[in-house]
Amino acid sequence: MKKVVTLGEIMLRFSTLEGERLSETGHLTVNYGGAEANVAVSLSHFGHEAYFVSKVPENPLGRAVERHLKSNGVQTDYLLKGGNRLGTYYLEAGVGERSAQVTYDRAYSSFSQLSPEEIDLDEVLDGAELLHISGITLALSPALRELALLAFQKAKEKGITTSFDFNYRAKLWTQQEASEAIKPLLPYADICSCGELDAVYLLGLDKEDGALTREDRLKSYYKKINEMYPDIQYIFSTFRTVLSATSNKLQGNLFTDGELYQSRVHHIEPIVDRVGGGDAFAAGILTGILDGLSAARTISFATAASALKHTIHGDCNAFSKEEVLQFATNEPGKIVR
């Protein structure tokens, strides 16, 4: 088992039932989730020793978070207690042509008030193989931006692989704010999740010729990113075709050594819960890299993991590595007897 570390916020999620508006419902289901926590859960299920670094209040909700993480095999040694509240968000389920909607209530959460001085990075990173952080963490406070940069710098000093997911959320900050926060981290990144829109609007790359195929445009962006940040060894993203809120087509992309590798296209219908699909995909990529899989097998595994996540409720992907591998090679929808 390899030690992997993720740093971010975990929240309490309230979800409407399908076909109900948040403003009118009298029933909400409860889950726990957040980008880096979701990645840690997946990595744990994929056979790694996953540690989650965060801060939650010392109250029943904070204890429920700890129980949720431990029940999924995530190590909570670096889960600090303190502050006044656990961040929350509300998900209004989408149906048909009506998209799902997220409403955040995370201001002044325990994690958003975390200071760099509270984290002993030498202890947290001791013996680690990989550190993963997303742009959502950077969006929450200047102090967390400082902590993330310090963590990446410390990881590079120790020879630890670093992974960064742009994970841009327009409801949390502007493109300009995100760009200014993300760019200082990229010289220290080994692995990066960056889509076509991220390349254009957050990194400022010129738009590629619209006559090019989607694959050629993406490959061109990734080559330019490698020129800007030559230490990034892997760049990944997905192509998602949204047919409706409950019917999507998904294909994974992985760029390494100047080549673009793609998965088969997964037609996911019906979608049970799309939230966390990107985190499952990221964890699949990281597992492929940690386990020394080929680029082709890595992107196949990661996309299969994401597709499976769409079939279950909640933020987290509760499938094992063996289950994902079996799904990736089986005929879709076939009964496994």
Side-chain angles (χ1 to χ4, degrees):
M1 297 176 68
K2 295 180 179 179
K3 178 181 177 180
V4 293
V5 177
T6 73
L7 184 154
E9 181 167 35
I10 187 167
M11 295 177 290
L12 177 62
R13 165 182 152 182
F14 296 98
S15 308
T16 66
L17 301 177
E18 187 177 280
E20 294 189 356
R21 300 298 313 275
L22 179 60
S23 58
E24 299 175 352
T25 188
H27 305 276
L28 293 168
T29 59
V30 175
N31 300 99
Y32 291 91
E36 291 89 347
N38 298 340
V39 171
V41 167
S42 280
L43 289 172
S44 173
H45 285 293
F46 294 158
H48 300 290
E49 188 179 22
Y51 287 78
F52 180 58
V53 183
S54 193
K55 187 175 183 178
V56 296
E58 180 62 89
N59 63 24
L61 293 178
R63 291 191 287 276
V65 163
E66 187 170 15
R67 185 163 52 250
H68 161 77
L69 293 168
K70 287 183 174 179
S71 71
N72 283 285
V74 176
Q75 307 298 316
T76 60
D77 303 50
Y78 314 126
L79 183 67
L80 303 182
K81 301 292 180 61
N84 297 320
R85 68 185 298 258
L86 185 70
T88 67
Y89 80 97
Y90 298 80
L91 178 69
E92 181 177 290
V95 180
E97 294 183 82
R98 178 167 62 83
S99 301
Q101 296 288 332
V102 169
T103 300
Y104 290 116
D105 180 18
R106 61 198 302 176
Y108 307 108
S109 67
S110 295
F111 180 74
S112 71
Q113 305 299 300
L114 181 67
S115 67
E117 293 75 23
E118 294 180 80
I119 302 295
D120 184 341
L121 290 173
D122 282 306
E123 179 185 356
V124 166
L125 296 174
D126 184 43
E129 294 277 343
L130 182 140
L131 169 66
H132 175 77
I133 301 175
S134 88
I136 293 176
T137 292
L138 305 186
L140 300 180
S141 78
L144 288 170
R145 291 193 279 278
E146 179 186 353
L147 174 60
L149 181 58
L150 289 171
F152 264 40
Q153 291 171 335
K154 179 68 70 173
K156 294 300 285 186
E157 289 175 12
K158 292 177 173 287
I160 297 167
T161 300
T162 54
S163 167
F164 181 73
D165 186 340
F166 275 50
N167 234 352
Y168 176 70
R169 296 291 183 268
K171 290 189 175 183
L172 295 180
W173 56 352
T174 67
Q175 292 174 358
Q176 182 64 32
E177 289 171 330
S179 177
E180 292 173 357
I182 287 170
K183 286 179 179 178
L185 266 74
L186 296 182
Y188 303 97
D190 299 305
I191 306 167
C192 183
S193 172
C194 175
E196 184 174 348
L197 295 179
D198 297 323
V200 173
Y201 295 106
L202 301 184
L203 294 184
L205 300 184
D206 293 332
K207 285 187 177 181
E208 291 294 339
D209 186 347
L212 294 174
T213 65
R214 188 164 57 169
E215 290 77 11
D216 285 341
R217 289 200 307 271
L218 189 67
K219 190 172 182 179
S220 177
Y221 288 131
Y222 285 171
K223 285 183 176 179
K224 291 177 181 178
I225 292 172
N226 258 163
E227 291 171 2
M228 297 165 62
Y229 306 103
D231 287 344
I232 297 179
Q233 302 171 47
Y234 301 90
I235 313 175
F236 61 96
S237 64
T238 58
F239 288 152
R240 183 185 293 271
T241 302
V242 178
L243 305 175
S244 74
T246 51
S247 179
N248 289 187
K249 291 183 178 180
L250 188 72
Q251 183 177 33
N253 307 292
L254 176 61
F255 183 81
T256 185
D257 293 328
E259 295 296 328
L260 182 67
Y261 298 84
Q262 295 184 293
S263 73
R264 71 174 177 89
V265 177
H266 291 258
H267 187 181
I268 312 168
E269 183 180 10
I271 294 173
V272 173
D273 193 337
R274 175 174 160 175
V275 176
D279 303 323
F281 180 68
I285 293 288
L286 298 180
T287 290
I289 294 170
L290 287 167
D291 292 354
L293 301 182
S294 68
R297 289 193 67 195
T298 295
I299 195 60
S300 174
F301 177 83
T303 314
S306 181
L308 275 176
K309 164 60 201 72
H310 287 66
T311 68
I312 58 175
H313 289 291
D315 278 42
C316 299
N317 204 23
F319 293 95
S320 68
K321 181 180 179 181
E322 291 70 27
E323 288 173 319
V324 175
L325 288 170
Q326 184 179 59
F327 172 76
T329 55
N330 279 349
E331 179 183 342
K334 180 181 178 181
I335 297 176
V336 179
R337 300 180 189 272

